């Protein structure tokens, strides 16, 4: 799967949250919500559906876009 977006809440509220969007080889998209050690993943047919969910999960608080930082740090963006 290829990384599309990776957002982090900066550990606000005492726990880390991440919202990650990935694109699969068939064109589907996966949205993953990580809260601490828990992870919930759901698959969506289109990028627009995945973006709507991702935006909703990040509606409250301040979120940092780590997508480019991961690429800049030399980590593999495609998974």
């Amino acid at each position: 799967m290829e990384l599309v977006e990776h957002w982090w809440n900066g550990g606000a509220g005492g726990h880390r949250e991440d919202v990650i969007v990935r694109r699969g080889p068939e064109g589907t998209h996966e949205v993953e919500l990580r809260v601490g050690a828990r992870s919930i993943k759901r698959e969506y047919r289109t990028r627009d559906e995945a973006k709507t969910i991702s935006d909703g999960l990040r509606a409250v608080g301040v979120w940092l876009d780590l997508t480019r930082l991961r690429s800049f740090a030399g980590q593999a963006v495609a998974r």
Side-chain angles (χ1 to χ4, degrees), residues 3-76:
L3 178 69
V4 176
E5 296 179 358
H6 183 176
W7 295 88
W8 171 49
N9 75 338
H15 63 277
R16 178 183 180 129
E17 292 184 24
D18 293 85
V19 175
I20 302 165
V21 180
R22 297 179 187 93
R23 180 176 38 248
E26 307 83 27
T28 59
H29 286 75
E30 173 186 89
V31 177
E32 178 181 6
L33 171 63
R34 292 183 191 165
V35 179
R38 292 186 58 194
S39 173
I40 301 169
K41 297 179 185 178
R42 297 286 185 265
E43 190 172 294
Y44 299 92
R45 286 181 272 154
T46 67
R47 170 73 180 108
D48 289 341
E49 290 176 347
K51 179 156 178 48
T52 298
I53 298 301
S54 172
D55 290 349
L57 290 170
R58 296 181 289 106
V60 176
V62 177
W63 290 81
L64 307 169
D65 186 354
L66 301 182
T67 311
R68 288 185 179 85
L69 291 177
R70 287 179 57 151
S71 178
F72 180 74
Q75 295 182 10

